[in-house]
Amino acid sequence: MELENDDREPRRRMSYGRTSSNGSSLRRGSLSLSSVFPNQMDDDIESERVSEAGDIGDRALNSKRYSESGSLRLSADHSIENGIVIRTQEDTLLHPIGFWSRDLSTLNSISPVSPLVEEIISPLSTDGILRPIDEKKDEEKVLPRSLEYISCLVHLAVFGILGVLTRYLLQKLFGPAVAGVTSDTTILYLDLPSNMVGSFLMGWIGVVFKRDISEVSDFLAIGLSTGYLGSLTTFSGWNQKMLDLSVDGKWLFSVLGYLIGLFLAAYSIEFGVDTAKGFRWLMEKHRANSSNDLSAKSWRVNSRKHHLCMILMMALLLGSLWALSAIMLKREFGNGGSDAQLWLGCVIGPVGVWIRWFLARLNGRGLGKTGLLKWVPFGTLIANVSADCVMAALSTTKKAVNTKNCDTVVTGIQFGLLGCLSTVSTFMAEFNAMRQSKHPWRAYAYAIATIAVSFGLGILIYNLPVWIKGYE
């Protein structure tokens, strides 16, 4: 790289990349033109990090990463040309040793003791010298945007259906018919085991090993964390069971159900993270003593041909699952019952996963242009609350109509579509990240706000009509 010596104007050009916990989103070096002090900058970065801990939707795609990176770079250059000095995390490291002036009047100028660009610029990596940047980008971005979306939607649908099936099996296994641990009439609601298992696996798949899975395939990581775990767990089912208890006058059971459900899910993801870290340590120790390199990178799907084969395979699997579900639904619909509800849920469940994934793009963005309340994952919040409201409305409809076919259709929509639209695993990943941040109170504020809003709206939509009309 050549530096022009004749232009001595103090200019700082920086490229900003945003890297998520799974290595496929753009986050770590996010800039804030309105933030000048290092503490506020760190707080903004942390707020964005905890809000994006669970999911960031289509912003995790390669095409979105490059476009967002370009817009950040353009914004930085425009600001520099107007004489604004932009602070980054790296700048805060220079501040304590006097490279940046503490005088407010000189914040937009370089301190006289600042080193020259040549003195502080980091050396280029060998890859950057030997291979052009555009060539490396082309190698990474092996699919156009349209195929990226198709691949993501197919992965989400397949793993979403698998999540629905797993949730149904756990309901039956721990329900009154087999183990008798959970039921509709106690604080141990039917979806508690699936929420605990999904939160535990989120610690493995969505926190500790998400980057390793992304090194194999970004679409696989999205499918497992957002598709499978998001559909395995359900916030709307949890909320509706608490409403059912409250409508019968069991208010104490409802409160205890929320407290126990939150505690067990939070402990499950924490236990999952700890055990996953222990397993990673054993893997690294074994790898250090072994001559075979079995890293995730050696399995990476990194060519257009491989991606197209994966899309074709997943599309065939999705078609088979949908065909099987439709055939079984046609066979069981006349009989009603849980089997017909399950197969209807498998048919329409992927729609809920897709909606939740698109809403996840709102996580880490905050409100308005200034990014107010950036630490609140508004995408997850909207998905959970909206699913709760629709489920409450359908429960009211089911009581009002009170027919076998209506019960089958409504319960199937609740179990499949709304069960996949809402999520506890992502909710817990965000809750856990907030607890470990500099502001742990945000975790409890987020949880209380989600539960209070969902329960309050549920009372208006479900409880009041039941009480007024006297539905059984």
Side-chain angles (χ1 to χ4, degrees):
M1 175 181 292
E2 295 182 0
L3 296 175
E4 297 181 5
N5 296 323
D6 56 340
D7 184 5
R8 308 302 297 178
E9 285 295 320
R11 297 167 62 90
R12 296 177 180 268
R13 297 189 176 272
M14 304 177 182
S15 299
Y16 294 84
R18 299 167 55 115
T19 310
S20 71
S21 60
N22 65 352
S24 52
S25 82
L26 307 158
R27 184 150 45 88
R28 290 286 182 221
S30 67
L31 63 90
S32 176
L33 297 179
S34 61
S35 301
V36 187
F37 297 101
N39 290 338
Q40 186 174 350
M41 168 66 78
D42 292 341
D43 186 66
D44 287 344
I45 293 174
E46 184 182 67
S47 297
E48 189 174 359
R49 180 183 63 82
V50 298
S51 181
E52 296 176 347
D55 194 8
I56 58 172
D58 62 347
R59 288 160 53 202
L61 300 180
N62 277 330
S63 57
K64 285 287 184 179
R65 289 213 307 268
Y66 294 132
S67 61
E68 191 168 347
S69 177
S71 64
L72 285 171
R73 189 177 297 110
L74 179 62
S75 176
D77 289 343
H78 175 74
S79 303
I80 293 169
E81 290 172 1
N82 285 276
I84 300 175
V85 173
I86 304 169
R87 303 288 299 276
T88 63
Q89 276 185 300
E90 289 78 9
D91 298 336
T92 63
L93 298 177
L94 300 178
H95 181 81
I97 56 177
F99 288 158
W100 288 91
S101 172
R102 303 179 72 92
D103 187 1
L104 293 177
S105 63
T106 60
L107 281 175
N108 284 340
S109 62
I110 305 300
S111 172
V113 296
S114 299
L116 296 175
V117 177
E118 294 87 344
E119 298 176 25
I120 64 173
I121 191 168
S122 59
L124 291 174
S125 65
T126 306
D127 288 343
I129 297 174
L130 297 179
R131 296 161 59 194
I133 295 177
D134 291 337
E135 181 183 334
K136 289 191 294 180
K137 285 186 177 181
D138 290 337
E139 182 177 324
E140 275 189 84
K141 187 180 176 183
V142 295
L143 287 178
R145 179 177 298 186
S146 59
L147 284 181
E148 278 189 328
Y149 273 92
I150 291 174
S151 181
C152 245
L153 295 178
V154 171
H155 278 76
L156 288 170
V158 170
F159 285 105
I161 294 175
L162 296 179
V164 171
L165 292 171
T166 308
R167 174 153 43 95
Y168 178 81
L169 292 176
L170 289 174
Q171 276 191 3
K172 293 299 182 181
L173 178 61
F174 290 94
V178 182
V181 177
T182 61
S183 72
D184 287 329
T185 58
T186 66
I187 57 178
L188 301 179
Y189 58 97
L190 289 177
D191 290 316
L192 179 60
S194 60
N195 286 345
M196 291 178 61
V197 172
S199 298
F200 172 81
L201 293 177
M202 191 66 172
W204 281 69
I205 298 173
V207 179
V208 177
F209 287 104
K210 190 169 186 177
R211 177 171 296 182
D212 300 87
I213 299 172
S214 296
E215 289 180 352
V216 176
S217 171
D218 290 331
F219 305 114
L220 180 60
I222 293 172
L224 286 172
S225 59
T226 304
Y228 180 70
L229 298 181
S231 301
L232 170 60
T233 61
T234 172
F235 190 90
S236 58
W238 175 18
N239 185 73
Q240 187 58 42
K241 295 307 177 185
M242 299 304 105
L243 288 173
D244 289 335
L245 292 174
S246 66
V247 81
D248 293 331
K250 300 178 181 178
W251 293 95
L252 180 59
F253 276 21
S254 296
V255 174
L256 292 177
Y258 279 120
L259 292 177
I260 292 176
L262 180 63
F263 171 79
L264 291 178
Y267 182 77
S268 295
I269 190 171
E270 187 175 343
F271 183 57
V273 170
D274 291 341
T275 53
K277 287 180 178 179
F279 184 73
R280 176 187 284 278
W281 178 81
L282 291 176
M283 287 180 58
E284 292 176 350
K285 186 176 181 180
H286 174 73
R287 187 180 303 168
N289 298 329
S290 176
S291 58
N292 297 327
D293 185 12
L294 297 177
S295 63
K297 291 182 179 180
S298 61
W299 298 88
R300 180 162 179 79
V301 180
N302 57 358
S303 69
R304 185 184 295 264
K305 181 179 179 181
H306 292 163
H307 278 294
L308 292 177
C309 289
M310 284 296 299
I311 293 174
L312 179 59
M313 184 182 70
M314 296 299 288
L316 291 175
L317 182 57
L318 176 60
S320 301
L321 289 173
W322 262 338
L324 175 63
S325 300
I327 293 172
M328 296 303 296
L329 173 61
K330 183 178 180 180
R331 178 182 301 177
E332 299 290 340
F333 187 82
N335 300 326
S338 59
D339 289 343
Q341 297 162 5
L342 166 65
W343 299 118
L344 177 58
C346 290
V347 171
I348 62 178
V351 179
V353 184
W354 294 335
I355 296 174
R356 172 162 49 84
W357 181 65
F358 280 110
L359 286 174
R361 70 172 68 178
L362 302 177
N363 293 340
R365 293 298 180 91
L367 298 174
K369 295 182 179 179
T370 58
L372 183 65
L373 297 176
K374 189 176 290 187
W375 60 272
V376 179
F378 285 103
T380 305
L381 180 64
I382 293 172
N384 281 338
V385 173
S386 60
D388 296 336
C389 292
V390 176
M391 180 169 283
L394 289 176
S395 296
T396 305
T397 302
K398 183 168 60 173
K399 285 185 174 292
V401 177
N402 195 23
T403 63
K404 184 176 68 173
N405 288 343
C406 177
D407 184 75
T408 300
V409 173
V410 168
T411 307
I413 294 174
Q414 290 177 322
F415 187 77
L417 176 65
L418 302 179
C420 292
L421 174 57
S422 64
T423 175
V424 170
S425 59
T426 303
F427 176 68
M428 281 296 107
E430 297 156 352
F431 180 84
N432 188 61
M434 291 179 190
R435 284 185 58 211
Q436 297 177 354
S437 68
K438 293 189 299 183
H439 306 285
W441 61 267
R442 291 176 172 175
Y444 302 98
Y446 172 50
I448 292 172
T450 303
I451 292 173
V453 172
S454 300
F455 190 64
L457 293 175
I459 291 175
L460 295 176
I461 299 171
Y462 176 67
N463 291 36
L464 288 181
V466 172
W467 290 332
I468 293 172
K469 297 293 184 178
Y471 296 135
E472 294 295 333

